[in-house]
Amino acid sequence: MTTSIEAPGPFAAFVAAAHRRGELVVQPRMGFSDPADMRRGLLATRAARATSVGTITLDSYTRVRDYASARTALADGTRLNGYPIVNHPAAVTRGVLGGLAGPDFPVQVRHGSAQPCEIIEALTALGLDATEGGPISYCLPYGRVPVRDSIREWSRACRLFLRLRDTFGTEPHLESFGGCMLGQLCPPSLLIAISVLECVFFRAHGLRSVSLSYAQQTSRSQDLEALAALRVLAAEYLGDLDWHIVLYTYMGVYPTSRDGALRLLCDSAELAVRGDAARLIVKTSAEATRVPTVAENIEALELAGAVAAASQRLLLGPAEPATESGVLAEATALIEAVLNLHGDVGQALALGVERGFLDVPYCLHPDNPGRTRSRIEPDGRLAWSDTGHLPLGAAARRSRSARLGSMELLSALSCMRDRYDGDADRWSLVGGTTALPGGRRTDGAR
């Protein structure tokens, strides 16, 4: 990561300071429609025994700009699946944040909207300096908004977000969600390319502090290679910005057992440390079955923080070297091909989707070309089985196997669930402490 601007906002400054101390910042995906519940969640996050930042995750009505339905739900006392920041009066949200949000406990707003302008206006008016998304990553997975409309909306949203700099003197921070496309079965090179391209888009619209995302996939060695490639490309294309990398705990079909879910979280925390990510988005033991409670979110934060701290102490020698199977070459080819389509990065992104240069496997958005396919190799790595019109040429590591059939696809989608639910003999959870392979424990004892 790098900090080249003079004064990053509270969110970016907090993450950078923790990274310098060798601490992984852990973050929940927590959102409640009731302001009192939202405040209790933030208070618990701040009090967690971990280096944590707060999250306000918005509801699905706000995500799609259905503010009338959100308003009706609030009037009826119906619980939403997140916090309706546009519908709640600013004074109410200030009450949620009062005495909480600040340099020692920054808060990020997470939303999922392809048309986020009202959301950006609301959070900017509150002085909140961090949010996430992007014109591709918050469009293709989540709805049917045309890509060109999303790009136009995100261009305006970036300009609105910059008002934070003018009004409060605070540098806004924007995280690309590009490393999480569909959560699974998207080869790392495309995740990396979209994350870098969206951050180039943010920079073109005046943002100076960004983060690049990457979601844990099916192979530890490939993930380490991908994180190394992401650092190289961030330094190359965004070296004049403040940037850091955020890792997401596996975003696909999650283990149903408590032990399996927490073991997967532990592996993601160790991956974050070994891959030099600065921040980790956690998942909970209840992820596969229901919306997690505050207590389950705090459990996940504290467990991930403890594993990360233990992993830092156990890294006595040089960092584990990343293997080289062509992820960097593929991602570079995708980025360069898209940027060469047009001098305006927004137009380049639109053309990249239309020409199949950015084509997400198994994505059903009407603008996604849908010609690419992927599969899980016998060694666990994600590979292309059909590259469609991706401009990869010799850079592509093609599988020699045929496309997945329906049963093979279902098996691939559930592979991490099955792997971790079926591997209980390697690990045990006793008294809230996770025993790691080799006798290590999350409390740092041996």
Side-chain angles (χ1 to χ4, degrees):
M1 65 185 298
T2 184
T3 304
S4 57
I5 61 176
E6 290 185 5
F11 188 88
F14 181 93
V15 174
H19 195 67
R20 287 193 296 270
R21 296 193 303 268
E23 297 173 6
L24 178 68
V25 174
V26 291
Q27 182 176 359
R29 301 179 302 140
M30 186 188 296
F32 305 99
S33 56
D34 180 72
D37 289 341
M38 190 70 254
R39 182 170 175 83
R40 279 193 289 271
L42 289 171
L43 282 166
T45 301
R46 186 181 67 172
R49 292 171 296 178
T51 304
S52 57
V53 293
T55 304
I56 297 178
T57 299
L58 306 191
D59 64 289
S60 54
Y61 286 136
T62 300
R63 170 186 290 183
V64 297
R65 303 174 94 179
D66 187 359
Y67 305 124
S69 293
R71 183 166 53 251
T72 298
L74 290 175
D76 293 344
T78 303
R79 285 184 177 272
L80 300 174
N81 62 348
Y83 187 83
I85 196 169
V86 174
N87 286 87
H88 277 313
V92 169
T93 307
R94 288 192 183 97
V96 171
L97 298 168
L100 271 173
D104 295 330
F105 183 66
V107 174
Q108 183 189 45
V109 173
R110 306 181 69 86
H111 53 90
S113 179
Q115 299 172 298
C117 289
E118 292 90 352
I119 295 168
I120 298 294
E121 287 180 322
L123 68 91
T124 301
L126 295 162
L128 293 172
D129 71 311
T131 190
E132 44 93 47
I136 303 299
S137 63
Y138 264 8
C139 178
L140 292 183
Y142 288 137
R144 303 180 68 85
V145 174
V147 166
R148 285 189 176 272
D149 289 353
S150 179
I151 291 169
R152 184 165 51 250
E153 285 284 322
W154 272 92
S155 296
R156 180 168 170 249
C158 288
R159 293 192 295 271
L160 290 170
F161 203 18
L162 290 175
R163 292 180 182 176
L164 197 71
R165 187 187 297 159
D166 300 330
T167 304
F168 294 95
T170 300
E171 192 66 44
H173 180 87
L174 191 48
E175 171 194 327
S176 166
F177 193 68
C180 305
M181 300 299 294
L182 300 191
Q184 55 191 333
L185 298 187
C186 185
S189 58
L190 184 56
L191 300 178
I192 293 168
I194 294 175
S195 199
V196 172
L197 286 167
E198 286 195 333
C199 286
V200 172
F201 174 89
F202 299 156
R203 181 183 61 188
H205 289 85
L207 274 297
R208 300 188 299 207
S209 181
V210 300
S211 45
L212 303 96
S213 63
Y214 179 77
Q216 179 187 20
Q217 299 295 321
T218 55
S219 164
R220 169 191 160 102
S221 62
Q222 188 178 42
D223 286 342
L224 286 170
E225 179 184 359
L227 289 167
L230 187 54
R231 287 197 306 275
V232 169
L233 292 170
E236 179 178 350
Y237 287 94
L238 306 165
D240 56 333
L241 302 187
D242 163 68
W243 62 267
H244 70 263
I245 290 173
V246 52
L247 177 72
Y248 284 63
T249 300
Y250 186 67
M251 295 283 283
V253 178
Y254 217 67
T256 57
S257 67
R258 171 178 165 79
D259 280 10
L262 294 181
R263 286 187 284 110
L264 181 47
L265 172 63
C266 290
D267 278 356
S268 73
E270 185 173 4
L271 173 65
V273 171
R274 293 184 179 274
D276 199 29
R279 186 160 48 98
L280 174 70
I281 307 297
V282 306
K283 296 186 84 171
T284 72
S285 60
E287 209 69 40
T289 56
R290 54 177 168 77
V291 176
T293 64
V294 171
E296 287 162 341
N297 274 286
I298 302 310
E299 175 189 49
L301 291 173
E302 294 185 340
L303 179 58
V307 169
S311 297
Q312 288 281 11
R313 290 194 292 271
L314 289 165
L315 283 176
L316 302 178
E320 181 177 339
T323 56
E324 175 51 57
S325 69
V327 171
L328 177 59
E330 284 189 23
T332 302
L334 292 170
I335 293 167
E336 290 180 349
V338 171
L339 292 178
N340 285 335
L341 289 173
H342 201 283
D344 177 272
V345 66
Q347 292 292 327
L349 286 173
L351 290 169
V353 173
E354 291 165 5
R355 298 187 184 183
F357 288 12
L358 301 174
D359 187 353
V360 180
Y362 312 108
C363 175
L364 299 179
H365 189 285
D367 284 351
N368 189 67
R371 296 178 180 272
T372 62
R373 290 293 184 269
S374 63
R375 62 181 300 114
I376 301 173
E377 299 275 34
D379 63 0
R381 301 170 75 86
L382 280 171
W384 299 106
S385 55
D386 192 333
T387 56
H389 295 306
L390 296 181
L392 294 177
R397 182 176 185 258
R398 301 172 189 266
S399 170
R400 289 175 290 180
S401 304
R403 282 189 174 199
L404 297 181
S406 58
M407 294 305 295
E408 293 171 306
L409 177 59
L410 287 174
S411 178
L413 290 170
S414 60
C415 74
M416 292 289 274
R417 180 198 65 191
D418 296 344
R419 181 188 303 175
Y420 281 83
D421 279 345
D423 202 19
D425 58 335
R426 284 181 57 234
W427 296 50
S428 63
L429 293 169
V430 181
T433 298
T434 302
L436 301 174
R440 293 176 285 154
R441 297 191 332 195
T442 61
D443 59 4
R446 297 185 68 84

